[in-house]
PDB file of all heavy atoms in Angstrom:
ATOM      1  N   GLY A  12     -24.151 -15.598 -16.614  1.00 64.00           N
ATOM      2  CA  GLY A  12     -25.540 -15.243 -16.376  1.00 64.00           C
ATOM      3  C   GLY A  12     -25.888 -13.835 -16.807  1.00 64.00           C
ATOM      4  O   GLY A  12     -26.964 -13.339 -16.531  1.00 64.00           O
ATOM      5  N   GLY A  13     -25.008 -13.158 -17.470  1.00 65.00           N
ATOM      6  CA  GLY A  13     -25.298 -11.830 -17.981  1.00 65.00           C
ATOM      7  C   GLY A  13     -25.104 -10.706 -16.989  1.00 65.00           C
ATOM      8  O   GLY A  13     -25.376  -9.559 -17.293  1.00 65.00           O
ATOM      9  N   ALA A  14     -24.650 -10.998 -15.774  1.00 70.00           N
ATOM     10  CA  ALA A  14     -24.407  -9.945 -14.792  1.00 70.00           C
ATOM     11  C   ALA A  14     -23.114  -9.221 -15.156  1.00 70.00           C
ATOM     12  O   ALA A  14     -22.143  -9.833 -15.588  1.00 70.00           O
ATOM     13  CB  ALA A  14     -24.300 -10.533 -13.391  1.00 70.00           C
ATOM     14  N   ALA A  15     -23.111  -7.924 -14.985  1.00 77.00           N
ATOM     15  CA  ALA A  15     -21.929  -7.132 -15.323  1.00 77.00           C
ATOM     16  C   ALA A  15     -21.146  -6.799 -14.059  1.00 77.00           C
ATOM     17  O   ALA A  15     -21.723  -6.544 -13.005  1.00 77.00           O
ATOM     18  CB  ALA A  15     -22.346  -5.852 -16.023  1.00 77.00           C
ATOM     19  N   ALA A  16     -19.820  -6.827 -14.190  1.00 81.00           N
ATOM     20  CA  ALA A  16     -18.945  -6.466 -13.070  1.00 81.00           C
ATOM     21  C   ALA A  16     -17.876  -5.527 -13.604  1.00 81.00           C
ATOM     22  O   ALA A  16     -17.337  -5.744 -14.687  1.00 81.00           O
ATOM     23  CB  ALA A  16     -18.312  -7.702 -12.459  1.00 81.00           C
ATOM     24  N   SER A  17     -17.591  -4.490 -12.850  1.00 88.00           N
ATOM     25  CA  SER A  17     -16.561  -3.556 -13.296  1.00 88.00           C
ATOM     26  C   SER A  17     -15.180  -4.196 -13.173  1.00 88.00           C
ATOM     27  O   SER A  17     -14.991  -5.182 -12.465  1.00 88.00           O
ATOM     28  CB  SER A  17     -16.614  -2.270 -12.469  1.00 88.00           C
ATOM     29  OG  SER A  17     -16.154  -2.525 -11.162  1.00 88.00           O
ATOM     30  N   SER A  18     -14.221  -3.617 -13.856  1.00 89.00           N
ATOM     31  CA  SER A  18     -12.866  -4.164 -13.810  1.00 89.00           C
ATOM     32  C   SER A  18     -12.270  -4.054 -12.403  1.00 89.00           C
ATOM     33  O   SER A  18     -11.463  -4.890 -12.002  1.00 89.00           O
ATOM     34  CB  SER A  18     -11.975  -3.463 -14.831  1.00 89.00           C
ATOM     35  OG  SER A  18     -11.924  -2.076 -14.563  1.00 89.00           O
ATOM     36  N   THR A  19     -12.680  -3.059 -11.649  1.00 91.00           N
ATOM     37  CA  THR A  19     -12.189  -2.918 -10.278  1.00 91.00           C
ATOM     38  C   THR A  19     -12.704  -4.049  -9.394  1.00 91.00           C
ATOM     39  O   THR A  19     -11.960  -4.590  -8.569  1.00 91.00           O
ATOM     40  CB  THR A  19     -12.598  -1.555  -9.692  1.00 91.00           C
ATOM     41  OG1 THR A  19     -12.120  -0.526 -10.552  1.00 91.00           O
ATOM     42  CG2 THR A  19     -12.046  -1.353  -8.303  1.00 91.00           C
ATOM     43  N   VAL A  20     -13.960  -4.423  -9.573  1.00 92.00           N
ATOM     44  CA  VAL A  20     -14.528  -5.521  -8.791  1.00 92.00           C
ATOM     45  C   VAL A  20     -13.839  -6.835  -9.147  1.00 92.00           C
ATOM     46  O   VAL A  20     -13.505  -7.642  -8.274  1.00 92.00           O
ATOM     47  CB  VAL A  20     -16.054  -5.618  -9.022  1.00 92.00           C
ATOM     48  CG1 VAL A  20     -16.628  -6.880  -8.395  1.00 92.00           C
ATOM     49  CG2 VAL A  20     -16.751  -4.387  -8.476  1.00 92.00           C
ATOM     50  N   VAL A  21     -13.590  -7.030 -10.424  1.00 92.00           N
ATOM     51  CA  VAL A  21     -12.900  -8.245 -10.859  1.00 92.00           C
ATOM     52  C   VAL A  21     -11.472  -8.262 -10.310  1.00 92.00           C
ATOM     53  O   VAL A  21     -10.987  -9.300  -9.851  1.00 92.00           O
ATOM     54  CB  VAL A  21     -12.910  -8.342 -12.403  1.00 92.00           C
ATOM     55  CG1 VAL A  21     -12.069  -9.510 -12.880  1.00 92.00           C
ATOM     56  CG2 VAL A  21     -14.341  -8.470 -12.906  1.00 92.00           C
ATOM     57  N   ALA A  22     -10.790  -7.122 -10.335  1.00 94.00           N
ATOM     58  CA  ALA A  22      -9.434  -7.039  -9.788  1.00 94.00           C
ATOM     59  C   ALA A  22      -9.440  -7.297  -8.289  1.00 94.00           C
ATOM     60  O   ALA A  22      -8.554  -7.986  -7.765  1.00 94.00           O
ATOM     61  CB  ALA A  22      -8.830  -5.673 -10.094  1.00 94.00           C
ATOM     62  N   ALA A  23     -10.432  -6.761  -7.593  1.00 94.00           N
ATOM     63  CA  ALA A  23     -10.527  -6.962  -6.146  1.00 94.00           C
ATOM     64  C   ALA A  23     -10.770  -8.430  -5.811  1.00 94.00           C
ATOM     65  O   ALA A  23     -10.314  -8.916  -4.770  1.00 94.00           O
ATOM     66  CB  ALA A  23     -11.627  -6.096  -5.560  1.00 94.00           C
ATOM     67  N   ALA A  24     -11.453  -9.138  -6.680  1.00 94.00           N
ATOM     68  CA  ALA A  24     -11.674 -10.564  -6.460  1.00 94.00           C
ATOM     69  C   ALA A  24     -10.359 -11.334  -6.470  1.00 94.00           C
ATOM     70  O   ALA A  24     -10.266 -12.426  -5.916  1.00 94.00           O
ATOM     71  CB  ALA A  24     -12.611 -11.118  -7.521  1.00 94.00           C
ATOM     72  N   TYR A  25      -9.340 -10.767  -7.074  1.00 94.00           N
ATOM     73  CA  TYR A  25      -8.010 -11.391  -7.090  1.00 94.00           C
ATOM     74  C   TYR A  25      -7.111 -10.833  -5.985  1.00 94.00           C
ATOM     75  O   TYR A  25      -6.445 -11.585  -5.279  1.00 94.00           O
ATOM     76  CB  TYR A  25      -7.348 -11.176  -8.455  1.00 94.00           C
ATOM     77  CG  TYR A  25      -5.967 -11.753  -8.551  1.00 94.00           C
ATOM     78  CD1 TYR A  25      -5.781 -13.118  -8.718  1.00 94.00           C
ATOM     79  CD2 TYR A  25      -4.848 -10.944  -8.438  1.00 94.00           C
ATOM     80  CE1 TYR A  25      -4.513 -13.663  -8.791  1.00 94.00           C
ATOM     81  CE2 TYR A  25      -3.574 -11.482  -8.508  1.00 94.00           C
ATOM     82  CZ  TYR A  25      -3.410 -12.842  -8.682  1.00 94.00           C
ATOM     83  OH  TYR A  25      -2.155 -13.366  -8.743  1.00 94.00           O
ATOM     84  N   THR A  26      -7.090  -9.519  -5.830  1.00 95.00           N
ATOM     85  CA  THR A  26      -6.118  -8.906  -4.919  1.00 95.00           C
ATOM     86  C   THR A  26      -6.505  -9.009  -3.439  1.00 95.00           C
ATOM     87  O   THR A  26      -5.619  -9.111  -2.588  1.00 95.00           O
ATOM     88  CB  THR A  26      -5.878  -7.430  -5.277  1.00 95.00           C
ATOM     89  OG1 THR A  26      -7.113  -6.728  -5.235  1.00 95.00           O
ATOM     90  CG2 THR A  26      -5.253  -7.301  -6.657  1.00 95.00           C
ATOM     91  N   VAL A  27      -7.771  -8.960  -3.125  1.00 96.00           N
ATOM     92  CA  VAL A  27      -8.182  -9.031  -1.713  1.00 96.00           C
ATOM     93  C   VAL A  27      -7.797 -10.380  -1.093  1.00 96.00           C
ATOM     94  O   VAL A  27      -7.214 -10.401   0.001  1.00 96.00           O
ATOM     95  CB  VAL A  27      -9.685  -8.704  -1.554  1.00 96.00           C
ATOM     96  CG1 VAL A  27     -10.171  -9.017  -0.143  1.00 96.00           C
ATOM     97  CG2 VAL A  27      -9.942  -7.241  -1.891  1.00 96.00           C
ATOM     98  N   PRO A  28      -8.066 -11.516  -1.743  1.00 96.00           N
ATOM     99  CA  PRO A  28      -7.597 -12.783  -1.151  1.00 96.00           C
ATOM    100  C   PRO A  28      -6.071 -12.866  -1.026  1.00 96.00           C
ATOM    101  O   PRO A  28      -5.556 -13.433  -0.055  1.00 96.00           O
ATOM    102  CB  PRO A  28      -8.120 -13.852  -2.123  1.00 96.00           C
ATOM    103  CG  PRO A  28      -9.271 -13.227  -2.794  1.00 96.00           C
ATOM    104  CD  PRO A  28      -8.925 -11.768  -2.899  1.00 96.00           C
ATOM    105  N   VAL A  29      -5.349 -12.300  -1.987  1.00 96.00           N
ATOM    106  CA  VAL A  29      -3.889 -12.303  -1.891  1.00 96.00           C
ATOM    107  C   VAL A  29      -3.449 -11.464  -0.692  1.00 96.00           C
ATOM    108  O   VAL A  29      -2.567 -11.864   0.067  1.00 96.00           O
ATOM    109  CB  VAL A  29      -3.240 -11.789  -3.196  1.00 96.00           C
ATOM    110  CG1 VAL A  29      -1.741 -11.613  -3.031  1.00 96.00           C
ATOM    111  CG2 VAL A  29      -3.535 -12.740  -4.348  1.00 96.00           C
ATOM    112  N   ALA A  30      -4.057 -10.297  -0.496  1.00 96.00           N
ATOM    113  CA  ALA A  30      -3.715  -9.445   0.646  1.00 96.00           C
ATOM    114  C   ALA A  30      -4.035 -10.152   1.964  1.00 96.00           C
ATOM    115  O   ALA A  30      -3.251 -10.079   2.925  1.00 96.00           O
ATOM    116  CB  ALA A  30      -4.456  -8.121   0.556  1.00 96.00           C
ATOM    117  N   LEU A  31      -5.159 -10.828   2.030  1.00 96.00           N
ATOM    118  CA  LEU A  31      -5.502 -11.578   3.244  1.00 96.00           C
ATOM    119  C   LEU A  31      -4.499 -12.703   3.489  1.00 96.00           C
ATOM    120  O   LEU A  31      -4.081 -12.940   4.625  1.00 96.00           O
ATOM    121  CB  LEU A  31      -6.916 -12.157   3.134  1.00 96.00           C
ATOM    122  CG  LEU A  31      -8.044 -11.152   3.258  1.00 96.00           C
ATOM    123  CD1 LEU A  31      -9.380 -11.813   2.951  1.00 96.00           C
ATOM    124  CD2 LEU A  31      -8.061 -10.539   4.640  1.00 96.00           C
ATOM    125  N   TYR A  32      -4.090 -13.379   2.428  1.00 94.00           N
ATOM    126  CA  TYR A  32      -3.092 -14.443   2.550  1.00 94.00           C
ATOM    127  C   TYR A  32      -1.775 -13.889   3.100  1.00 94.00           C
ATOM    128  O   TYR A  32      -1.175 -14.477   4.003  1.00 94.00           O
ATOM    129  CB  TYR A  32      -2.864 -15.109   1.191  1.00 94.00           C
ATOM    130  CG  TYR A  32      -1.746 -16.119   1.203  1.00 94.00           C
ATOM    131  CD1 TYR A  32      -1.950 -17.390   1.733  1.00 94.00           C
ATOM    132  CD2 TYR A  32      -0.494 -15.799   0.717  1.00 94.00           C
ATOM    133  CE1 TYR A  32      -0.927 -18.327   1.767  1.00 94.00           C
ATOM    134  CE2 TYR A  32       0.537 -16.723   0.742  1.00 94.00           C
ATOM    135  CZ  TYR A  32       0.314 -17.982   1.259  1.00 94.00           C
ATOM    136  OH  TYR A  32       1.329 -18.888   1.294  1.00 94.00           O
ATOM    137  N   VAL A  33      -1.328 -12.767   2.566  1.00 93.00           N
ATOM    138  CA  VAL A  33      -0.076 -12.155   3.021  1.00 93.00           C
ATOM    139  C   VAL A  33      -0.173 -11.763   4.492  1.00 93.00           C
ATOM    140  O   VAL A  33       0.740 -12.011   5.286  1.00 93.00           O
ATOM    141  CB  VAL A  33       0.291 -10.943   2.137  1.00 93.00           C
ATOM    142  CG1 VAL A  33       1.432 -10.141   2.736  1.00 93.00           C
ATOM    143  CG2 VAL A  33       0.641 -11.398   0.725  1.00 93.00           C
ATOM    144  N   ALA A  34      -1.295 -11.168   4.886  1.00 92.00           N
ATOM    145  CA  ALA A  34      -1.470 -10.730   6.274  1.00 92.00           C
ATOM    146  C   ALA A  34      -1.522 -11.923   7.233  1.00 92.00           C
ATOM    147  O   ALA A  34      -0.870 -11.924   8.284  1.00 92.00           O
ATOM    148  CB  ALA A  34      -2.740  -9.895   6.398  1.00 92.00           C
ATOM    149  N   VAL A  35      -2.267 -12.958   6.869  1.00 92.00           N
ATOM    150  CA  VAL A  35      -2.376 -14.137   7.729  1.00 92.00           C
ATOM    151  C   VAL A  35      -1.043 -14.881   7.790  1.00 92.00           C
ATOM    152  O   VAL A  35      -0.653 -15.379   8.852  1.00 92.00           O
ATOM    153  CB  VAL A  35      -3.520 -15.058   7.244  1.00 92.00           C
ATOM    154  CG1 VAL A  35      -3.494 -16.405   7.941  1.00 92.00           C
ATOM    155  CG2 VAL A  35      -4.861 -14.375   7.465  1.00 92.00           C
ATOM    156  N   LEU A  36      -0.337 -14.938   6.672  1.00 89.00           N
ATOM    157  CA  LEU A  36       0.969 -15.588   6.657  1.00 89.00           C
ATOM    158  C   LEU A  36       1.910 -14.927   7.658  1.00 89.00           C
ATOM    159  O   LEU A  36       2.614 -15.599   8.412  1.00 89.00           O
ATOM    160  CB  LEU A  36       1.557 -15.533   5.252  1.00 89.00           C
ATOM    161  CG  LEU A  36       2.854 -16.279   5.017  1.00 89.00           C
ATOM    162  CD1 LEU A  36       2.627 -17.782   5.141  1.00 89.00           C
ATOM    163  CD2 LEU A  36       3.402 -15.941   3.648  1.00 89.00           C
ATOM    164  N   ARG A  37       1.915 -13.594   7.686  1.00 88.00           N
ATOM    165  CA  ARG A  37       2.777 -12.879   8.638  1.00 88.00           C
ATOM    166  C   ARG A  37       2.354 -13.165  10.073  1.00 88.00           C
ATOM    167  O   ARG A  37       3.194 -13.392  10.948  1.00 88.00           O
ATOM    168  CB  ARG A  37       2.757 -11.370   8.368  1.00 88.00           C
ATOM    169  CG  ARG A  37       3.549 -10.569   9.381  1.00 88.00           C
ATOM    170  CD  ARG A  37       4.996 -11.010   9.455  1.00 88.00           C
ATOM    171  NE  ARG A  37       5.740 -10.260  10.460  1.00 88.00           N
ATOM    172  CZ  ARG A  37       6.872 -10.669  10.984  1.00 88.00           C
ATOM    173  NH1 ARG A  37       7.409 -11.798  10.606  1.00 88.00           N
ATOM    174  NH2 ARG A  37       7.491  -9.935  11.880  1.00 88.00           N
ATOM    175  N   LEU A  38       1.058 -13.152  10.322  1.00 87.00           N
ATOM    176  CA  LEU A  38       0.585 -13.413  11.683  1.00 87.00           C
ATOM    177  C   LEU A  38       0.943 -14.819  12.142  1.00 87.00           C
ATOM    178  O   LEU A  38       1.317 -15.023  13.308  1.00 87.00           O
ATOM    179  CB  LEU A  38      -0.926 -13.200  11.766  1.00 87.00           C
ATOM    180  CG  LEU A  38      -1.394 -11.759  11.638  1.00 87.00           C
ATOM    181  CD1 LEU A  38      -2.923 -11.706  11.612  1.00 87.00           C
ATOM    182  CD2 LEU A  38      -0.860 -10.908  12.770  1.00 87.00           C
ATOM    183  N   LEU A  39       0.864 -15.787  11.256  1.00 86.00           N
ATOM    184  CA  LEU A  39       1.191 -17.159  11.623  1.00 86.00           C
ATOM    185  C   LEU A  39       2.682 -17.339  11.879  1.00 86.00           C
ATOM    186  O   LEU A  39       3.082 -18.073  12.783  1.00 86.00           O
ATOM    187  CB  LEU A  39       0.735 -18.129  10.531  1.00 86.00           C
ATOM    188  CG  LEU A  39      -0.769 -18.310  10.400  1.00 86.00           C
ATOM    189  CD1 LEU A  39      -1.083 -19.184   9.191  1.00 86.00           C
ATOM    190  CD2 LEU A  39      -1.360 -18.921  11.651  1.00 86.00           C
ATOM    191  N   HIS A  40       3.508 -16.677  11.106  1.00 79.00           N
ATOM    192  CA  HIS A  40       4.956 -16.825  11.255  1.00 79.00           C
ATOM    193  C   HIS A  40       5.536 -15.921  12.332  1.00 79.00           C
ATOM    194  O   HIS A  40       6.642 -16.149  12.791  1.00 79.00           O
ATOM    195  CB  HIS A  40       5.667 -16.559   9.924  1.00 79.00           C
ATOM    196  CG  HIS A  40       5.521 -17.692   8.972  1.00 79.00           C
ATOM    197  ND1 HIS A  40       6.283 -18.823   9.053  1.00 79.00           N
ATOM    198  CD2 HIS A  40       4.691 -17.875   7.931  1.00 79.00           C
ATOM    199  CE1 HIS A  40       5.924 -19.660   8.092  1.00 79.00           C
ATOM    200  NE2 HIS A  40       4.957 -19.111   7.399  1.00 79.00           N
ATOM    201  N   ARG A  41       4.811 -14.899  12.705  1.00 77.00           N
ATOM    202  CA  ARG A  41       5.322 -13.941  13.672  1.00 77.00           C
ATOM    203  C   ARG A  41       5.383 -14.529  15.068  1.00 77.00           C
ATOM    204  O   ARG A  41       6.350 -14.350  15.785  1.00 77.00           O
ATOM    205  CB  ARG A  41       4.451 -12.691  13.668  1.00 77.00           C
ATOM    206  CG  ARG A  41       4.955 -11.619  14.596  1.00 77.00           C
ATOM    207  CD  ARG A  41       4.167 -10.345  14.374  1.00 77.00           C
ATOM    208  NE  ARG A  41       4.689  -9.312  15.220  1.00 77.00           N
ATOM    209  CZ  ARG A  41       4.208  -9.029  16.417  1.00 77.00           C
ATOM    210  NH1 ARG A  41       3.175  -9.701  16.878  1.00 77.00           N
ATOM    211  NH2 ARG A  41       4.721  -8.074  17.151  1.00 77.00           N
ATOM    212  N   GLY A  42       4.328 -15.197  15.470  1.00 68.00           N
ATOM    213  CA  GLY A  42       4.302 -15.740  16.826  1.00 68.00           C
ATOM    214  C   GLY A  42       4.158 -14.630  17.852  1.00 68.00           C
ATOM    215  O   GLY A  42       3.563 -13.587  17.597  1.00 68.00           O
ATOM    216  N   ALA A  43       4.739 -14.844  19.010  1.00 63.00           N
ATOM    217  CA  ALA A  43       4.606 -13.892  20.112  1.00 63.00           C
ATOM    218  C   ALA A  43       5.914 -13.141  20.328  1.00 63.00           C
ATOM    219  O   ALA A  43       6.450 -13.113  21.426  1.00 63.00           O
ATOM    220  CB  ALA A  43       4.179 -14.620  21.376  1.00 63.00           C
ATOM    221  N   VAL A  44       6.403 -12.528  19.278  1.00 65.00           N
ATOM    222  CA  VAL A  44       7.644 -11.768  19.405  1.00 65.00           C
ATOM    223  C   VAL A  44       7.331 -10.275  19.370  1.00 65.00           C
ATOM    224  O   VAL A  44       6.250  -9.856  18.996  1.00 65.00           O
ATOM    225  CB  VAL A  44       8.647 -12.113  18.274  1.00 65.00           C
ATOM    226  CG1 VAL A  44       9.062 -13.562  18.364  1.00 65.00           C
ATOM    227  CG2 VAL A  44       8.059 -11.811  16.918  1.00 65.00           C
ATOM    228  N   LYS A  45       8.326  -9.493  19.770  1.00 70.00           N
ATOM    229  CA  LYS A  45       8.160  -8.045  19.747  1.00 70.00           C
ATOM    230  C   LYS A  45       8.022  -7.565  18.298  1.00 70.00           C
ATOM    231  O   LYS A  45       8.603  -8.160  17.389  1.00 70.00           O
ATOM    232  CB  LYS A  45       9.366  -7.361  20.383  1.00 70.00           C
ATOM    233  CG  LYS A  45       9.557  -7.656  21.845  1.00 70.00           C
ATOM    234  CD  LYS A  45      10.690  -6.851  22.429  1.00 70.00           C
ATOM    235  CE  LYS A  45      11.970  -7.089  21.666  1.00 70.00           C
ATOM    236  NZ  LYS A  45      13.139  -6.420  22.252  1.00 70.00           N
ATOM    237  N   PRO A  46       7.299  -6.478  18.093  1.00 70.00           N
ATOM    238  CA  PRO A  46       7.233  -5.902  16.749  1.00 70.00           C
ATOM    239  C   PRO A  46       8.629  -5.517  16.263  1.00 70.00           C
ATOM    240  O   PRO A  46       9.454  -5.031  17.036  1.00 70.00           O
ATOM    241  CB  PRO A  46       6.355  -4.668  16.920  1.00 70.00           C
ATOM    242  CG  PRO A  46       5.562  -4.926  18.153  1.00 70.00           C
ATOM    243  CD  PRO A  46       6.442  -5.771  19.035  1.00 70.00           C
ATOM    244  N   ASP A  47       8.897  -5.764  15.009  1.00 78.00           N
ATOM    245  CA  ASP A  47      10.202  -5.442  14.455  1.00 78.00           C
ATOM    246  C   ASP A  47      10.037  -4.819  13.076  1.00 78.00           C
ATOM    247  O   ASP A  47       8.918  -4.516  12.647  1.00 78.00           O
ATOM    248  CB  ASP A  47      11.105  -6.678  14.415  1.00 78.00           C
ATOM    249  CG  ASP A  47      10.523  -7.820  13.595  1.00 78.00           C
ATOM    250  OD1 ASP A  47       9.423  -7.661  13.048  1.00 78.00           O
ATOM    251  OD2 ASP A  47      11.166  -8.866  13.504  1.00 78.00           O
ATOM    252  N   ALA A  48      11.145  -4.639  12.394  1.00 79.00           N
ATOM    253  CA  ALA A  48      11.110  -4.001  11.078  1.00 79.00           C
ATOM    254  C   ALA A  48      10.336  -4.834  10.073  1.00 79.00           C
ATOM    255  O   ALA A  48       9.725  -4.293   9.145  1.00 79.00           O
ATOM    256  CB  ALA A  48      12.532  -3.765  10.579  1.00 79.00           C
ATOM    257  N   GLN A  49      10.326  -6.145  10.246  1.00 83.00           N
ATOM    258  CA  GLN A  49       9.575  -6.985   9.316  1.00 83.00           C
ATOM    259  C   GLN A  49       8.081  -6.694   9.366  1.00 83.00           C
ATOM    260  O   GLN A  49       7.400  -6.809   8.360  1.00 83.00           O
ATOM    261  CB  GLN A  49       9.823  -8.462   9.610  1.00 83.00           C
ATOM    262  CG  GLN A  49      11.059  -9.000   8.987  1.00 83.00           C
ATOM    263  CD  GLN A  49      11.069 -10.524   9.001  1.00 83.00           C
ATOM    264  OE1 GLN A  49      10.039 -11.164   9.138  1.00 83.00           O
ATOM    265  NE2 GLN A  49      12.250 -11.073   8.863  1.00 83.00           N
ATOM    266  N   ASP A  50       7.572  -6.341  10.536  1.00 86.00           N
ATOM    267  CA  ASP A  50       6.148  -6.025  10.637  1.00 86.00           C
ATOM    268  C   ASP A  50       5.779  -4.876   9.704  1.00 86.00           C
ATOM    269  O   ASP A  50       4.744  -4.906   9.043  1.00 86.00           O
ATOM    270  CB  ASP A  50       5.766  -5.673  12.076  1.00 86.00           C
ATOM    271  CG  ASP A  50       5.757  -6.889  12.981  1.00 86.00           C
ATOM    272  OD1 ASP A  50       5.553  -8.002  12.482  1.00 86.00           O
ATOM    273  OD2 ASP A  50       5.966  -6.714  14.199  1.00 86.00           O
ATOM    274  N   ALA A  51       6.626  -3.868   9.655  1.00 89.00           N
ATOM    275  CA  ALA A  51       6.372  -2.727   8.777  1.00 89.00           C
ATOM    276  C   ALA A  51       6.444  -3.137   7.315  1.00 89.00           C
ATOM    277  O   ALA A  51       5.607  -2.718   6.502  1.00 89.00           O
ATOM    278  CB  ALA A  51       7.376  -1.612   9.060  1.00 89.00           C
ATOM    279  N   VAL A  52       7.406  -3.978   6.974  1.00 91.00           N
ATOM    280  CA  VAL A  52       7.542  -4.435   5.589  1.00 91.00           C
ATOM    281  C   VAL A  52       6.311  -5.222   5.162  1.00 91.00           C
ATOM    282  O   VAL A  52       5.762  -5.002   4.082  1.00 91.00           O
ATOM    283  CB  VAL A  52       8.827  -5.292   5.429  1.00 91.00           C
ATOM    284  CG1 VAL A  52       8.875  -5.954   4.072  1.00 91.00           C
ATOM    285  CG2 VAL A  52      10.065  -4.440   5.653  1.00 91.00           C
ATOM    286  N   TRP A  53       5.855  -6.124   6.009  1.00 91.00           N
ATOM    287  CA  TRP A  53       4.679  -6.926   5.681  1.00 91.00           C
ATOM    288  C   TRP A  53       3.422  -6.053   5.591  1.00 91.00           C
ATOM    289  O   TRP A  53       2.573  -6.281   4.721  1.00 91.00           O
ATOM    290  CB  TRP A  53       4.482  -8.032   6.703  1.00 91.00           C
ATOM    291  CG  TRP A  53       5.437  -9.168   6.528  1.00 91.00           C
ATOM    292  CD1 TRP A  53       6.666  -9.285   7.085  1.00 91.00           C
ATOM    293  CD2 TRP A  53       5.267 -10.327   5.713  1.00 91.00           C
ATOM    294  NE1 TRP A  53       7.258 -10.448   6.673  1.00 91.00           N
ATOM    295  CE2 TRP A  53       6.433 -11.113   5.845  1.00 91.00           C
ATOM    296  CE3 TRP A  53       4.231 -10.779   4.903  1.00 91.00           C
ATOM    297  CZ2 TRP A  53       6.587 -12.332   5.195  1.00 91.00           C
ATOM    298  CZ3 TRP A  53       4.396 -12.007   4.256  1.00 91.00           C
ATOM    299  CH2 TRP A  53       5.555 -12.760   4.391  1.00 91.00           C
ATOM    300  N   ALA A  54       3.294  -5.069   6.479  1.00 92.00           N
ATOM    301  CA  ALA A  54       2.126  -4.183   6.432  1.00 92.00           C
ATOM    302  C   ALA A  54       2.103  -3.371   5.145  1.00 92.00           C
ATOM    303  O   ALA A  54       1.060  -3.244   4.492  1.00 92.00           O
ATOM    304  CB  ALA A  54       2.129  -3.255   7.650  1.00 92.00           C
ATOM    305  N   VAL A  55       3.254  -2.837   4.762  1.00 94.00           N
ATOM    306  CA  VAL A  55       3.336  -2.070   3.513  1.00 94.00           C
ATOM    307  C   VAL A  55       3.045  -2.980   2.328  1.00 94.00           C
ATOM    308  O   VAL A  55       2.336  -2.586   1.387  1.00 94.00           O
ATOM    309  CB  VAL A  55       4.718  -1.391   3.376  1.00 94.00           C
ATOM    310  CG1 VAL A  55       4.929  -0.833   1.991  1.00 94.00           C
ATOM    311  CG2 VAL A  55       4.867  -0.301   4.427  1.00 94.00           C
ATOM    312  N   GLY A  56       3.559  -4.203   2.355  1.00 94.00           N
ATOM    313  CA  GLY A  56       3.291  -5.149   1.277  1.00 94.00           C
ATOM    314  C   GLY A  56       1.812  -5.476   1.146  1.00 94.00           C
ATOM    315  O   GLY A  56       1.270  -5.533   0.040  1.00 94.00           O
ATOM    316  N   THR A  57       1.153  -5.677   2.281  1.00 95.00           N
ATOM    317  CA  THR A  57      -0.286  -5.968   2.266  1.00 95.00           C
ATOM    318  C   THR A  57      -1.074  -4.795   1.697  1.00 95.00           C
ATOM    319  O   THR A  57      -1.956  -4.973   0.850  1.00 95.00           O
ATOM    320  CB  THR A  57      -0.772  -6.299   3.686  1.00 95.00           C
ATOM    321  OG1 THR A  57      -0.033  -7.408   4.188  1.00 95.00           O
ATOM    322  CG2 THR A  57      -2.245  -6.638   3.693  1.00 95.00           C
ATOM    323  N   LEU A  58      -0.742  -3.595   2.126  1.00 96.00           N
ATOM    324  CA  LEU A  58      -1.437  -2.412   1.611  1.00 96.00           C
ATOM    325  C   LEU A  58      -1.129  -2.183   0.130  1.00 96.00           C
ATOM    326  O   LEU A  58      -1.997  -1.742  -0.626  1.00 96.00           O
ATOM    327  CB  LEU A  58      -1.055  -1.180   2.436  1.00 96.00           C
ATOM    328  CG  LEU A  58      -1.564  -1.186   3.870  1.00 96.00           C
ATOM    329  CD1 LEU A  58      -1.012   0.016   4.631  1.00 96.00           C
ATOM    330  CD2 LEU A  58      -3.083  -1.193   3.910  1.00 96.00           C
ATOM    331  N   ALA A  59       0.088  -2.491  -0.280  1.00 96.00           N
ATOM    332  CA  ALA A  59       0.446  -2.337  -1.692  1.00 96.00           C
ATOM    333  C   ALA A  59      -0.348  -3.308  -2.558  1.00 96.00           C
ATOM    334  O   ALA A  59      -0.787  -2.945  -3.658  1.00 96.00           O
ATOM    335  CB  ALA A  59       1.943  -2.546  -1.883  1.00 96.00           C
TER     336      ALA A  59
END
């Protein structure tokens, strides 16, 4: 339709859903356990 989007917006359209998937995946698999080293790894991965 002729609308312009910057490369950052296009990249965010890919990376934001992946980051949400990674975060939700950890929450679903974590359950009700104490925080551990994996929580930090998953958080860093999501932010990366």
